[in-house]
Amino acid sequence: MPEIVQIGPYRPQLLEPERFELVVENNKIIDANIELGYVHRGIEKLFTTKTYMQNLALAERICGICSGVHTLCYAQTAEGVIDVTVPDRARYLRCIYMEIERLHSHYLWFGVVTHSLHENNAFLKIMGEREHVQDLLEYLTGNRINYLINTIGGVRRDITSPKTERIQKVMDNMKALSNYLLALLDENGSLTKKTEGVGILPKDKALDLGAVGPTLRGSGIESDVRKDDPYAAYGELDFEVITEEDGDVRAKSLVRARETLESIKIIEQALDNLPSGEIATKPGEPLEKEEVGRAEAPRGELVYYIKSNGTNIPERVKVRTPSFANDFTLIEMLRGDLLQNARIIIESIDPCFACTDRLTVLDTKAGKKRRMILK
Amino acid sequence: MSGKTSIYRFMSAGCNGCDVQILECLVPRYKLADLGVEVVFTPEEANVLAITGGINVKGREELKKAYEKLKPPKLVVAVGNCAITKEIFDKGYPMVGPPDQIIPVNFYISGCPPRPQAIVTAVAKALGATLEEKEEYWATPEGFRGKHEFDSEKCMGCGACAQVCSSDAIDVLEDNGKRFIKVDYGHCSFCAFCQDECPTEAIKLTKEYHMLTDNRNTANVTNEVDLFKCASCGTYFIPARQVEWALQRIENEVSEYKDFHRNLRTAMELCHTCRRKISNIRNAKKLLSQLSPKVRAV
């Protein structure tokens, strides 16, 4: 007799509130439903009440973990509408800031996962070392999260002499942390036992369900906006797109661990080749047009759409966040797996419900909640 | 409060930046565990409720339920500006909060997000304990965007900061010949657009990050400036310093207008209503003749 197990919505085993209804039979998950909406804030409507500049602060607060890439993608899209050229130095600086953000996001993910798997020593080590990245971000931008470093037409703060050395120093420490993560995931690593063969997402299913980012790359598909459609200075920098073939939680972890090393490589290259010049151009008047922009967030492909009517307030802003694309793959990964693995599977896509929850429909007229049911 | 402190985190409609900061508080270097503080997974085990994010329609009932299940003495702490005033999501249609309209809140930790150091200090303060604040970890770097500060010598009260503010945190209020520029830092997103746009560099975001309060109405920084009376009808309409600033700018940037300086001043000292009355030359002459003695006095 199948029974229904509820996870959430306000259960701190998950970093964020979300309700999962799992249909379980003999300790095996046979189906799952997801209910969203606990973090819904009406952001897309709010976008049309603020000016292009003010919206930078709003775009950033869609998600507190990948906040920088939201402003980058928003600014890049708005730059198409406003028609302003970004100086070369700003393009390189954007790469540096965004890769530091990717480091902090991936390390945080490892922190959350080791916390869920009760690997307390690993959790304390990862989070303790990660503080150096957070301190670096605070030192470079003036805030630990929501740093608002990208602006329309460039960046807001430059990286000059004492800052360069500090970045270099932190990156040297972070290489050690990344190698420690890889050691946790090698054949005898403590994470390997708990994640190997869990929550498998086959290659064809990953494509069918429209997975993005490390979730897709963990299933062996080479896809990265930084390579496929280079923005900022990524076209001029040398880096690899990391893929793993297995499609299980371990493969996704390995993708993230190896990506942190690539990020460090990108930061070092960008620092070495930093062009001189201005860091921002003053934006002009908005033109009457539409624009679509995309960027690679730590969780995958992020898409922004802006429609301008020539005023300083956008007419429509649409956001497609990576977590929304990845949510649908959860159903495939959960099905057929054991109940005790549910939490680690849900966490394996690095879900960011703050991102996703702009999209839930609330049918207030009928007084009913319209659920998102995935079958 | 005696005994063990168990914190239950209630994440509602926010960006989850504050949740990450709470997770970071558990790092050994902040020594939160030394105070006997632990983070628990159900409201039944907890006696402290930490709310992050504003509350939306879906979260309202859940918040009430969580509060009821809490063990006494039921201490509620709102962490971050969303939990204090809903911040940038203030006008979002699904928002019903802030939480203190739904359940009683004891402490407010302001910041977007508050630094882990601020949260740890606030917790220690609530417990009546003191923490060793190591310079290495607790100092704020140069360029940190913290609590606001006005340079009352420089501020002319033009309200440019209120215009560019991304989360409507700055109010321009007028009362009895004075203009008040009120920054509600419990509503601020610390984007520093006000600092960038201030024409006289009067508003600054300082390195101060301890913004703990038990009354959210006190979470503000205010500066007052004198208003100027209309030379014709006598109503207050513009800060006196702004007139001087504008005249100075005209003189500096369009020096050929220097000869008209006195005329410009006369025009500026009239409020919008009186200026509209100058519909033809005759009216203008009449008005000017009325004004001339006053103008000479200035």
PDB file of all heavy atoms in Angstrom, chain A residues 10 16 36 40-41 50 54 61 64 130-131 138 141 144-145 156-157, chain B residues 8 11 15-16 24 30 56 58 115 143 145 165-166 189 191 196:
ATOM      1  N   TYR A  10       8.381  24.032   5.849  1.00  0.00           N
ATOM      2  CA  TYR A  10       9.374  24.683   6.685  1.00  0.00           C
ATOM      3  C   TYR A  10      10.147  23.653   7.489  1.00  0.00           C
ATOM      4  O   TYR A  10       9.928  23.478   8.667  1.00  0.00           O
ATOM      5  CB  TYR A  10       8.720  25.730   7.593  1.00  0.00           C
ATOM      6  CG  TYR A  10       8.126  26.856   6.786  1.00  0.00           C
ATOM      7  CD1 TYR A  10       6.791  26.879   6.465  1.00  0.00           C
ATOM      8  CD2 TYR A  10       8.946  27.869   6.320  1.00  0.00           C
ATOM      9  CE1 TYR A  10       6.269  27.890   5.700  1.00  0.00           C
ATOM     10  CE2 TYR A  10       8.431  28.891   5.551  1.00  0.00           C
ATOM     11  CZ  TYR A  10       7.092  28.898   5.251  1.00  0.00           C
ATOM     12  OH  TYR A  10       6.586  29.908   4.489  1.00  0.00           O
ATOM     13  N   GLU A  16      15.659  26.057   2.142  1.00  0.00           N
ATOM     14  CA  GLU A  16      14.557  26.953   1.838  1.00  0.00           C
ATOM     15  C   GLU A  16      13.225  26.216   1.872  1.00  0.00           C
ATOM     16  O   GLU A  16      13.190  25.007   1.731  1.00  0.00           O
ATOM     17  CB  GLU A  16      14.768  27.542   0.440  1.00  0.00           C
ATOM     18  CG  GLU A  16      15.919  28.489   0.424  1.00  0.00           C
ATOM     19  CD  GLU A  16      16.302  28.833  -0.978  1.00  0.00           C
ATOM     20  OE1 GLU A  16      15.449  29.375  -1.684  1.00  0.00           O
ATOM     21  OE2 GLU A  16      17.419  28.548  -1.364  1.00  0.00           O
ATOM     22  N   LEU A  36       5.312  24.664  -4.943  1.00  0.00           N
ATOM     23  CA  LEU A  36       6.147  25.859  -4.822  1.00  0.00           C
ATOM     24  C   LEU A  36       5.334  27.018  -4.255  1.00  0.00           C
ATOM     25  O   LEU A  36       4.160  26.889  -3.981  1.00  0.00           O
ATOM     26  CB  LEU A  36       6.673  26.258  -6.208  1.00  0.00           C
ATOM     27  CG  LEU A  36       7.572  25.263  -6.922  1.00  0.00           C
ATOM     28  CD1 LEU A  36       7.710  25.668  -8.370  1.00  0.00           C
ATOM     29  CD2 LEU A  36       8.933  25.214  -6.280  1.00  0.00           C
ATOM     30  N   HIS A  40       7.421  33.179  -2.947  1.00  0.00           N
ATOM     31  CA  HIS A  40       6.956  34.046  -4.034  1.00  0.00           C
ATOM     32  C   HIS A  40       6.843  35.492  -3.560  1.00  0.00           C
ATOM     33  O   HIS A  40       6.265  35.758  -2.517  1.00  0.00           O
ATOM     34  CB  HIS A  40       5.606  33.539  -4.519  1.00  0.00           C
ATOM     35  CG  HIS A  40       5.079  34.298  -5.687  1.00  0.00           C
ATOM     36  ND1 HIS A  40       5.758  34.346  -6.873  1.00  0.00           N
ATOM     37  CD2 HIS A  40       3.975  35.060  -5.845  1.00  0.00           C
ATOM     38  CE1 HIS A  40       5.068  35.101  -7.724  1.00  0.00           C
ATOM     39  NE2 HIS A  40       3.988  35.550  -7.122  1.00  0.00           N
ATOM     40  N   ARG A  41       7.435  36.418  -4.345  1.00  0.00           N
ATOM     41  CA  ARG A  41       7.445  37.811  -3.908  1.00  0.00           C
ATOM     42  C   ARG A  41       6.918  38.781  -4.958  1.00  0.00           C
ATOM     43  O   ARG A  41       6.916  39.976  -4.768  1.00  0.00           O
ATOM     44  CB  ARG A  41       8.886  38.223  -3.556  1.00  0.00           C
ATOM     45  CG  ARG A  41       9.410  37.607  -2.306  1.00  0.00           C
ATOM     46  CD  ARG A  41      10.907  37.447  -2.367  1.00  0.00           C
ATOM     47  NE  ARG A  41      11.291  36.423  -3.318  1.00  0.00           N
ATOM     48  CZ  ARG A  41      12.535  36.193  -3.703  1.00  0.00           C
ATOM     49  NH1 ARG A  41      13.502  36.908  -3.244  1.00  0.00           N
ATOM     50  NH2 ARG A  41      12.791  35.246  -4.571  1.00  0.00           N
ATOM     51  N   LYS A  50      10.105  50.114 -11.136  1.00  0.00           N
ATOM     52  CA  LYS A  50      11.358  50.781 -10.771  1.00  0.00           C
ATOM     53  C   LYS A  50      12.149  51.117 -12.020  1.00  0.00           C
ATOM     54  O   LYS A  50      11.940  50.529 -13.075  1.00  0.00           O
ATOM     55  CB  LYS A  50      12.203  49.869  -9.867  1.00  0.00           C
ATOM     56  CG  LYS A  50      11.572  49.612  -8.512  1.00  0.00           C
ATOM     57  CD  LYS A  50      12.403  48.659  -7.711  1.00  0.00           C
ATOM     58  CE  LYS A  50      11.710  48.220  -6.448  1.00  0.00           C
ATOM     59  NZ  LYS A  50      11.591  49.260  -5.436  1.00  0.00           N
ATOM     60  N   GLN A  54      17.525  51.166 -10.515  1.00  0.00           N
ATOM     61  CA  GLN A  54      16.989  50.602  -9.263  1.00  0.00           C
ATOM     62  C   GLN A  54      16.745  49.103  -9.390  1.00  0.00           C
ATOM     63  O   GLN A  54      16.898  48.361  -8.424  1.00  0.00           O
ATOM     64  CB  GLN A  54      15.689  51.308  -8.892  1.00  0.00           C
ATOM     65  CG  GLN A  54      15.894  52.729  -8.415  1.00  0.00           C
ATOM     66  CD  GLN A  54      14.582  53.490  -8.292  1.00  0.00           C
ATOM     67  OE1 GLN A  54      13.580  53.099  -8.854  1.00  0.00           O
ATOM     68  NE2 GLN A  54      14.608  54.587  -7.562  1.00  0.00           N
ATOM     69  N   ARG A  61      18.305  40.597  -5.626  1.00  0.00           N
ATOM     70  CA  ARG A  61      17.617  39.966  -4.502  1.00  0.00           C
ATOM     71  C   ARG A  61      16.664  38.858  -4.931  1.00  0.00           C
ATOM     72  O   ARG A  61      15.880  38.376  -4.120  1.00  0.00           O
ATOM     73  CB  ARG A  61      16.910  41.038  -3.671  1.00  0.00           C
ATOM     74  CG  ARG A  61      17.893  41.672  -2.725  1.00  0.00           C
ATOM     75  CD  ARG A  61      17.477  43.017  -2.214  1.00  0.00           C
ATOM     76  NE  ARG A  61      18.554  43.615  -1.455  1.00  0.00           N
ATOM     77  CZ  ARG A  61      19.611  44.206  -2.001  1.00  0.00           C
ATOM     78  NH1 ARG A  61      19.718  44.298  -3.314  1.00  0.00           N
ATOM     79  NH2 ARG A  61      20.563  44.716  -1.259  1.00  0.00           N
ATOM     80  N   GLY A  64      19.883  35.120  -3.128  1.00  0.00           N
ATOM     81  CA  GLY A  64      20.987  35.631  -2.329  1.00  0.00           C
ATOM     82  C   GLY A  64      22.292  34.893  -2.523  1.00  0.00           C
ATOM     83  O   GLY A  64      23.329  35.343  -2.065  1.00  0.00           O
ATOM     84  N   ARG A 130      35.657  28.549   3.462  1.00  0.00           N
ATOM     85  CA  ARG A 130      34.844  29.356   2.572  1.00  0.00           C
ATOM     86  C   ARG A 130      34.736  30.797   3.069  1.00  0.00           C
ATOM     87  O   ARG A 130      34.570  31.726   2.275  1.00  0.00           O
ATOM     88  CB  ARG A 130      33.452  28.726   2.463  1.00  0.00           C
ATOM     89  CG  ARG A 130      32.479  29.488   1.597  1.00  0.00           C
ATOM     90  CD  ARG A 130      31.135  28.791   1.586  1.00  0.00           C
ATOM     91  NE  ARG A 130      30.134  29.682   1.024  1.00  0.00           N
ATOM     92  CZ  ARG A 130      29.479  30.584   1.718  1.00  0.00           C
ATOM     93  NH1 ARG A 130      29.715  30.725   3.018  1.00  0.00           N
ATOM     94  NH2 ARG A 130      28.584  31.354   1.143  1.00  0.00           N
ATOM     95  N   GLU A 131      34.830  30.986   4.382  1.00  0.00           N
ATOM     96  CA  GLU A 131      34.762  32.343   4.938  1.00  0.00           C
ATOM     97  C   GLU A 131      35.798  33.270   4.292  1.00  0.00           C
ATOM     98  O   GLU A 131      35.570  34.464   4.157  1.00  0.00           O
ATOM     99  CB  GLU A 131      34.978  32.317   6.456  1.00  0.00           C
ATOM    100  CG  GLU A 131      33.762  31.912   7.248  1.00  0.00           C
ATOM    101  CD  GLU A 131      32.588  32.852   7.071  1.00  0.00           C
ATOM    102  OE1 GLU A 131      32.539  33.880   7.734  1.00  0.00           O
ATOM    103  OE2 GLU A 131      31.702  32.543   6.249  1.00  0.00           O
ATOM    104  N   GLU A 138      33.607  40.678   0.461  1.00  0.00           N
ATOM    105  CA  GLU A 138      33.273  41.856   1.261  1.00  0.00           C
ATOM    106  C   GLU A 138      34.321  42.946   1.074  1.00  0.00           C
ATOM    107  O   GLU A 138      34.006  44.125   0.962  1.00  0.00           O
ATOM    108  CB  GLU A 138      33.182  41.443   2.726  1.00  0.00           C
ATOM    109  CG  GLU A 138      32.601  42.503   3.634  1.00  0.00           C
ATOM    110  CD  GLU A 138      32.518  42.026   5.064  1.00  0.00           C
ATOM    111  OE1 GLU A 138      33.455  41.350   5.530  1.00  0.00           O
ATOM    112  OE2 GLU A 138      31.520  42.325   5.731  1.00  0.00           O
ATOM    113  N   THR A 141      33.924  44.298  -2.680  1.00  0.00           N
ATOM    114  CA  THR A 141      32.687  44.930  -3.140  1.00  0.00           C
ATOM    115  C   THR A 141      31.942  45.719  -2.067  1.00  0.00           C
ATOM    116  O   THR A 141      31.098  46.534  -2.396  1.00  0.00           O
ATOM    117  CB  THR A 141      31.714  43.861  -3.679  1.00  0.00           C
ATOM    118  OG1 THR A 141      31.317  43.042  -2.579  1.00  0.00           O
ATOM    119  CG2 THR A 141      32.352  43.009  -4.735  1.00  0.00           C
ATOM    120  N   ARG A 144      28.851  41.176   1.835  1.00  0.00           N
ATOM    121  CA  ARG A 144      29.157  39.745   1.729  1.00  0.00           C
ATOM    122  C   ARG A 144      28.296  39.054   0.692  1.00  0.00           C
ATOM    123  O   ARG A 144      28.718  38.103   0.047  1.00  0.00           O
ATOM    124  CB  ARG A 144      28.930  39.079   3.087  1.00  0.00           C
ATOM    125  CG  ARG A 144      29.807  39.601   4.164  1.00  0.00           C
ATOM    126  CD  ARG A 144      29.378  39.037   5.486  1.00  0.00           C
ATOM    127  NE  ARG A 144      29.679  37.635   5.573  1.00  0.00           N
ATOM    128  CZ  ARG A 144      30.836  37.168   6.012  1.00  0.00           C
ATOM    129  NH1 ARG A 144      31.774  37.993   6.384  1.00  0.00           N
ATOM    130  NH2 ARG A 144      31.053  35.887   6.072  1.00  0.00           N
ATOM    131  N   ILE A 145      27.043  39.493   0.608  1.00  0.00           N
ATOM    132  CA  ILE A 145      26.085  38.921  -0.324  1.00  0.00           C
ATOM    133  C   ILE A 145      25.355  40.137  -0.854  1.00  0.00           C
ATOM    134  O   ILE A 145      25.361  41.170  -0.199  1.00  0.00           O
ATOM    135  CB  ILE A 145      25.167  37.943   0.443  1.00  0.00           C
ATOM    136  CG1 ILE A 145      25.845  36.583   0.525  1.00  0.00           C
ATOM    137  CG2 ILE A 145      23.802  37.827  -0.173  1.00  0.00           C
ATOM    138  CD1 ILE A 145      25.102  35.566   1.296  1.00  0.00           C
ATOM    139  N   ARG A 156      31.198  48.691 -10.676  1.00  0.00           N
ATOM    140  CA  ARG A 156      31.229  49.854  -9.783  1.00  0.00           C
ATOM    141  C   ARG A 156      32.548  50.015  -9.047  1.00  0.00           C
ATOM    142  O   ARG A 156      32.849  51.087  -8.558  1.00  0.00           O
ATOM    143  CB  ARG A 156      30.079  49.765  -8.771  1.00  0.00           C
ATOM    144  CG  ARG A 156      28.735  50.002  -9.419  1.00  0.00           C
ATOM    145  CD  ARG A 156      27.617  49.763  -8.449  1.00  0.00           C
ATOM    146  NE  ARG A 156      27.379  50.906  -7.573  1.00  0.00           N
ATOM    147  CZ  ARG A 156      26.699  50.823  -6.438  1.00  0.00           C
ATOM    148  NH1 ARG A 156      26.228  49.677  -6.033  1.00  0.00           N
ATOM    149  NH2 ARG A 156      26.508  51.893  -5.696  1.00  0.00           N
ATOM    150  N   ARG A 157      33.314  48.945  -8.904  1.00  0.00           N
ATOM    151  CA  ARG A 157      34.587  49.077  -8.187  1.00  0.00           C
ATOM    152  C   ARG A 157      35.711  48.411  -8.960  1.00  0.00           C
ATOM    153  O   ARG A 157      35.533  47.352  -9.553  1.00  0.00           O
ATOM    154  CB  ARG A 157      34.477  48.481  -6.783  1.00  0.00           C
ATOM    155  CG  ARG A 157      33.628  49.341  -5.899  1.00  0.00           C
ATOM    156  CD  ARG A 157      33.678  48.884  -4.471  1.00  0.00           C
ATOM    157  NE  ARG A 157      32.638  49.580  -3.712  1.00  0.00           N
ATOM    158  CZ  ARG A 157      32.499  49.486  -2.415  1.00  0.00           C
ATOM    159  NH1 ARG A 157      33.298  48.739  -1.714  1.00  0.00           N
ATOM    160  NH2 ARG A 157      31.541  50.154  -1.801  1.00  0.00           N
TER     161      ARG A 157
ATOM    162  N   TYR B   8      15.322  27.991  15.949  1.00  0.00           N
ATOM    163  CA  TYR B   8      14.647  27.421  14.790  1.00  0.00           C
ATOM    164  C   TYR B   8      14.546  28.509  13.743  1.00  0.00           C
ATOM    165  O   TYR B   8      14.096  29.610  14.012  1.00  0.00           O
ATOM    166  CB  TYR B   8      13.248  26.922  15.178  1.00  0.00           C
ATOM    167  CG  TYR B   8      12.400  26.483  14.004  1.00  0.00           C
ATOM    168  CD1 TYR B   8      12.710  25.322  13.311  1.00  0.00           C
ATOM    169  CD2 TYR B   8      11.298  27.230  13.600  1.00  0.00           C
ATOM    170  CE1 TYR B   8      11.938  24.919  12.231  1.00  0.00           C
ATOM    171  CE2 TYR B   8      10.520  26.824  12.527  1.00  0.00           C
ATOM    172  CZ  TYR B   8      10.846  25.666  11.838  1.00  0.00           C
ATOM    173  OH  TYR B   8      10.082  25.274  10.780  1.00  0.00           O
ATOM    174  N   MET B  11      12.427  30.393   7.273  1.00  0.00           N
ATOM    175  CA  MET B  11      12.750  31.181   6.083  1.00  0.00           C
ATOM    176  C   MET B  11      11.478  31.444   5.309  1.00  0.00           C
ATOM    177  O   MET B  11      10.740  30.552   4.975  1.00  0.00           O
ATOM    178  CB  MET B  11      13.738  30.420   5.207  1.00  0.00           C
ATOM    179  CG  MET B  11      14.343  31.302   4.144  1.00  0.00           C
ATOM    180  SD  MET B  11      13.732  30.935   2.538  1.00  0.00           S
ATOM    181  CE  MET B  11      14.455  32.236   1.583  1.00  0.00           C
ATOM    182  N   CYS B  15      15.486  36.567  -0.073  1.00  0.00           N
ATOM    183  CA  CYS B  15      16.393  36.084  -1.119  1.00  0.00           C
ATOM    184  C   CYS B  15      17.264  34.950  -0.620  1.00  0.00           C
ATOM    185  O   CYS B  15      18.100  34.449  -1.342  1.00  0.00           O
ATOM    186  CB  CYS B  15      17.265  37.220  -1.637  1.00  0.00           C
ATOM    187  SG  CYS B  15      18.561  37.717  -0.514  1.00  0.00           S
ATOM    188  N   ASN B  16      17.134  34.536   0.632  1.00  0.00           N
ATOM    189  CA  ASN B  16      17.899  33.495   1.320  1.00  0.00           C
ATOM    190  C   ASN B  16      19.352  33.886   1.608  1.00  0.00           C
ATOM    191  O   ASN B  16      20.126  33.077   2.093  1.00  0.00           O
ATOM    192  CB  ASN B  16      17.769  32.100   0.680  1.00  0.00           C
ATOM    193  CG  ASN B  16      18.630  31.853  -0.551  1.00  0.00           C
ATOM    194  OD1 ASN B  16      19.669  32.489  -0.742  1.00  0.00           O
ATOM    195  ND2 ASN B  16      18.212  30.946  -1.368  1.00  0.00           N
ATOM    196  N   GLU B  24      26.583  30.520   8.212  1.00  0.00           N
ATOM    197  CA  GLU B  24      27.981  30.911   8.416  1.00  0.00           C
ATOM    198  C   GLU B  24      28.296  31.182   9.888  1.00  0.00           C
ATOM    199  O   GLU B  24      29.436  31.062  10.301  1.00  0.00           O
ATOM    200  CB  GLU B  24      28.309  32.157   7.583  1.00  0.00           C
ATOM    201  CG  GLU B  24      28.559  31.823   6.135  1.00  0.00           C
ATOM    202  CD  GLU B  24      28.631  33.037   5.253  1.00  0.00           C
ATOM    203  OE1 GLU B  24      28.780  34.160   5.767  1.00  0.00           O
ATOM    204  OE2 GLU B  24      28.534  32.863   4.029  1.00  0.00           O
ATOM    205  N   TYR B  30      33.456  32.074  14.959  1.00  0.00           N
ATOM    206  CA  TYR B  30      32.560  33.010  15.647  1.00  0.00           C
ATOM    207  C   TYR B  30      32.162  32.527  17.043  1.00  0.00           C
ATOM    208  O   TYR B  30      31.476  33.217  17.773  1.00  0.00           O
ATOM    209  CB  TYR B  30      31.319  33.291  14.805  1.00  0.00           C
ATOM    210  CG  TYR B  30      31.664  33.916  13.492  1.00  0.00           C
ATOM    211  CD1 TYR B  30      31.266  33.344  12.297  1.00  0.00           C
ATOM    212  CD2 TYR B  30      32.424  35.078  13.442  1.00  0.00           C
ATOM    213  CE1 TYR B  30      31.618  33.908  11.086  1.00  0.00           C
ATOM    214  CE2 TYR B  30      32.782  35.644  12.243  1.00  0.00           C
ATOM    215  CZ  TYR B  30      32.374  35.051  11.066  1.00  0.00           C
ATOM    216  OH  TYR B  30      32.723  35.608   9.876  1.00  0.00           O
ATOM    217  N   ASN B  56       4.811  36.078   2.893  1.00  0.00           N
ATOM    218  CA  ASN B  56       3.824  36.166   1.815  1.00  0.00           C
ATOM    219  C   ASN B  56       2.567  35.395   2.202  1.00  0.00           C
ATOM    220  O   ASN B  56       2.513  34.786   3.265  1.00  0.00           O
ATOM    221  CB  ASN B  56       4.414  35.710   0.476  1.00  0.00           C
ATOM    222  CG  ASN B  56       4.745  34.237   0.424  1.00  0.00           C
ATOM    223  OD1 ASN B  56       4.472  33.505   1.356  1.00  0.00           O
ATOM    224  ND2 ASN B  56       5.319  33.805  -0.667  1.00  0.00           N
ATOM    225  N   LYS B  58       1.281  32.693   1.502  1.00  0.00           N
ATOM    226  CA  LYS B  58       1.406  31.268   1.809  1.00  0.00           C
ATOM    227  C   LYS B  58       2.077  31.020   3.147  1.00  0.00           C
ATOM    228  O   LYS B  58       1.874  29.991   3.768  1.00  0.00           O
ATOM    229  CB  LYS B  58       2.211  30.594   0.703  1.00  0.00           C
ATOM    230  CG  LYS B  58       1.347  29.742  -0.177  1.00  0.00           C
ATOM    231  CD  LYS B  58       2.196  29.029  -1.184  1.00  0.00           C
ATOM    232  CE  LYS B  58       1.465  27.813  -1.669  1.00  0.00           C
ATOM    233  NZ  LYS B  58       2.168  27.175  -2.771  1.00  0.00           N
ATOM    234  N   ARG B 115      25.901  41.005   8.737  1.00  0.00           N
ATOM    235  CA  ARG B 115      27.118  40.175   8.767  1.00  0.00           C
ATOM    236  C   ARG B 115      26.925  39.095   9.835  1.00  0.00           C
ATOM    237  O   ARG B 115      26.233  39.324  10.827  1.00  0.00           O
ATOM    238  CB  ARG B 115      28.338  41.012   9.179  1.00  0.00           C
ATOM    239  CG  ARG B 115      28.728  42.079   8.240  1.00  0.00           C
ATOM    240  CD  ARG B 115      29.917  42.837   8.801  1.00  0.00           C
ATOM    241  NE  ARG B 115      31.181  42.237   8.375  1.00  0.00           N
ATOM    242  CZ  ARG B 115      32.349  42.474   8.942  1.00  0.00           C
ATOM    243  NH1 ARG B 115      32.435  43.252   9.985  1.00  0.00           N
ATOM    244  NH2 ARG B 115      33.452  41.935   8.474  1.00  0.00           N
ATOM    245  N   GLY B 143      35.420  50.666   2.528  1.00  0.00           N
ATOM    246  CA  GLY B 143      34.423  50.605   1.459  1.00  0.00           C
ATOM    247  C   GLY B 143      33.212  49.758   1.812  1.00  0.00           C
ATOM    248  O   GLY B 143      32.359  49.517   0.975  1.00  0.00           O
ATOM    249  N   ARG B 145      29.596  48.802   3.074  1.00  0.00           N
ATOM    250  CA  ARG B 145      28.363  49.583   3.014  1.00  0.00           C
ATOM    251  C   ARG B 145      27.508  49.271   4.237  1.00  0.00           C
ATOM    252  O   ARG B 145      26.738  48.330   4.246  1.00  0.00           O
ATOM    253  CB  ARG B 145      27.605  49.278   1.724  1.00  0.00           C
ATOM    254  CG  ARG B 145      28.424  49.519   0.466  1.00  0.00           C
ATOM    255  CD  ARG B 145      27.548  49.580  -0.763  1.00  0.00           C
ATOM    256  NE  ARG B 145      26.833  48.344  -1.001  1.00  0.00           N
ATOM    257  CZ  ARG B 145      27.238  47.404  -1.852  1.00  0.00           C
ATOM    258  NH1 ARG B 145      28.337  47.561  -2.539  1.00  0.00           N
ATOM    259  NH2 ARG B 145      26.539  46.322  -2.032  1.00  0.00           N
ATOM    260  N   CYS B 165      16.772  56.035  -4.589  1.00  0.00           N
ATOM    261  CA  CYS B 165      16.737  54.900  -3.657  1.00  0.00           C
ATOM    262  C   CYS B 165      16.027  53.700  -4.288  1.00  0.00           C
ATOM    263  O   CYS B 165      14.926  53.833  -4.802  1.00  0.00           O
ATOM    264  CB  CYS B 165      16.029  55.292  -2.375  1.00  0.00           C
ATOM    265  SG  CYS B 165      15.999  53.954  -1.189  1.00  0.00           S
ATOM    266  N   SER B 166      16.656  52.533  -4.226  1.00  0.00           N
ATOM    267  CA  SER B 166      16.075  51.370  -4.908  1.00  0.00           C
ATOM    268  C   SER B 166      14.968  50.723  -4.096  1.00  0.00           C
ATOM    269  O   SER B 166      14.187  49.965  -4.636  1.00  0.00           O
ATOM    270  CB  SER B 166      17.172  50.355  -5.230  1.00  0.00           C
ATOM    271  OG  SER B 166      17.831  49.973  -4.055  1.00  0.00           O
ATOM    272  N   SER B 189      18.362  48.705   1.236  1.00  0.00           N
ATOM    273  CA  SER B 189      19.011  47.522   0.644  1.00  0.00           C
ATOM    274  C   SER B 189      20.517  47.731   0.532  1.00  0.00           C
ATOM    275  O   SER B 189      21.206  46.932  -0.092  1.00  0.00           O
ATOM    276  CB  SER B 189      18.392  47.189  -0.700  1.00  0.00           C
ATOM    277  OG  SER B 189      18.396  48.312  -1.527  1.00  0.00           O
ATOM    278  N   CYS B 191      22.460  49.563  -1.232  1.00  0.00           N
ATOM    279  CA  CYS B 191      23.008  49.569  -2.584  1.00  0.00           C
ATOM    280  C   CYS B 191      23.948  50.749  -2.783  1.00  0.00           C
ATOM    281  O   CYS B 191      24.714  50.780  -3.738  1.00  0.00           O
ATOM    282  CB  CYS B 191      21.888  49.610  -3.613  1.00  0.00           C
ATOM    283  SG  CYS B 191      20.835  51.060  -3.506  1.00  0.00           S
ATOM    284  N   ASP B 196      26.301  57.499  -4.203  1.00  0.00           N
ATOM    285  CA  ASP B 196      26.840  57.798  -5.527  1.00  0.00           C
ATOM    286  C   ASP B 196      26.222  59.056  -6.112  1.00  0.00           C
ATOM    287  O   ASP B 196      26.881  59.791  -6.841  1.00  0.00           O
ATOM    288  CB  ASP B 196      26.565  56.634  -6.493  1.00  0.00           C
ATOM    289  CG  ASP B 196      27.345  55.387  -6.121  1.00  0.00           C
ATOM    290  OD1 ASP B 196      28.140  55.485  -5.175  1.00  0.00           O
ATOM    291  OD2 ASP B 196      27.139  54.354  -6.767  1.00  0.00           O
TER     292      ASP B 196
END
